[in-house]
Amino acid sequence: MSLEQRRSASGLDLHVHTGDGSGAAPIIALHPWFGCWQFWLPVVELMPERDWVLVDMYSGAGTIPADDGAFDALAAAITSAVEEYTDQPVVLMGNSTGGLLAQVIAIAGRPPLDWLVLVGTGATAAGVKAPFRATLGEWLDAGGSAAPASTAAVVRSLLYRDPPADDMALYAEAVETADYPFLSAVLRGVLGGDVVDRLPQISVPTLVIRGAEDAARTEEHVATLMAGIPDCRAVEIPLAGHSPQVDTPAEVAAAMRDLLRDRA
């Protein structure tokens, strides 16, 4: 598998894997906050025939002010980066914060989408499980000087099981080296965000994936998405946490293949 890194005009780094040239809609993948773009690699490796664009959203710190508008500015930067990459409809796939960003982008109607895939996310931060919220709060309260153990804990909270040690070190380093003011500003936007009333504006078929052992999101979050998005289906993956693409990549790849086969 080969990945080419590109810098978009919006300032975001894109890690592009080019598939077999089938011309199918590329999959644009948005990682969770406290995860990183590398979270998607286990699934990309199982679906090498597809074109993938893995967006490093932390790279937005170079151009997006760390203020109250950071979340919306990041959504706009992602839109610009995707439209720069292709003028064709795409499959937009987002995990956690990436999933909320994906909803905002889908509601806005740009770029054109073939499918929307929401992983371990919801339309609002209300109802997020208390221990997970407390872990995020501890990291925020550290004011950019969180101990490595605190950073590891917030990364670990996304997963049901420990990944290989080298992978865990890579994931933690991505958070430790990211710009704290930017991470904090976007996270505060997530915690205050709510698009429940706008879900009916999502006009593309949508798949919701939830890990059965998700430490943050509940069945109620899935039910809200299902009730609000006109064309929506859901799948729950056993033995997977908030980021099932890391815990159970084969099951996520199978769900994606079923979805894309229906669209073929």
Side-chain angles (χ1 to χ4, degrees):
M1 181 185 69
S2 62
L3 289 166
E4 173 194 348
Q5 182 173 335
R6 304 180 187 177
R7 171 60 63 91
S8 73
S10 67
L12 296 176
D13 289 337
L14 310 178
H15 301 268
V16 179
H17 166 76
T18 304
D20 63 7
S22 64
I27 302 172
I28 312 296
L30 309 179
H31 61 77
W33 232 230
F34 304 108
C36 53
W37 67 267
Q38 291 95 332
F39 263 38
W40 296 108
L41 292 179
V43 176
V44 176
E45 290 173 354
L46 294 173
M47 299 181 67
E49 73 280 5
R50 301 288 304 206
D51 291 352
W52 288 82
V53 178
L54 313 180
V55 183
D56 178 3
M57 297 191 293
Y58 298 154
S59 63
T63 55
I64 297 173
D67 57 22
D68 290 345
F71 178 88
D72 289 335
L74 179 56
I78 294 166
T79 296
S80 295
V82 175
E83 291 179 337
E84 179 185 327
Y85 174 75
T86 181
D87 59 2
Q88 301 300 312
V90 302
V91 177
L92 184 60
M93 187 172 188
N95 178 204
S96 191
T97 291
L100 186 55
L101 285 160
Q103 290 170 67
V104 169
I105 291 168
I107 289 166
R110 291 181 43 216
L113 304 184
D114 198 41
W115 271 92
L116 177 65
V117 183
L118 305 175
V119 183
T121 195
T124 174
V128 169
K129 294 180 181 179
F132 182 84
R133 187 71 174 257
T135 300
L136 296 185
E138 179 182 342
W139 186 88
L140 278 171
D141 290 344
S145 58
S150 176
T151 299
V154 77
V155 175
R156 180 65 181 76
S157 68
L158 306 182
L159 308 173
Y160 177 57
R161 61 178 64 83
D162 286 334
D166 287 349
D167 289 346
M168 184 62 189
L170 175 68
Y171 301 157
E173 181 183 14
V175 178
E176 290 168 356
T177 58
D179 182 77
Y180 171 82
F182 178 68
L183 262 65
S184 177
V186 172
L187 179 58
R188 293 184 191 282
V190 172
L191 295 177
D194 187 331
V195 298
V196 173
D197 292 343
R198 292 188 285 159
L199 290 177
Q201 298 175 40
I202 295 178
S203 60
V204 295
T206 301
L207 172 67
V208 178
I209 300 175
R210 178 179 178 268
E213 308 300 330
D214 193 326
R217 294 293 186 171
T218 67
E219 294 90 341
E220 287 73 19
H221 289 112
V222 175
T224 297
L225 293 169
M226 291 283 290
I229 300 173
D231 184 357
C232 188
R233 67 180 76 170
V235 60
E236 185 167 277
I237 298 178
L239 303 179
H242 193 53
S243 296
Q245 69 272 30
V246 179
D247 289 321
T248 53
E251 288 77 1
V252 172
M256 290 294 293
R257 282 207 169 92
D258 287 345
L259 172 80
L260 298 170
R261 188 180 304 115
D262 289 348
R263 196 63 171 165

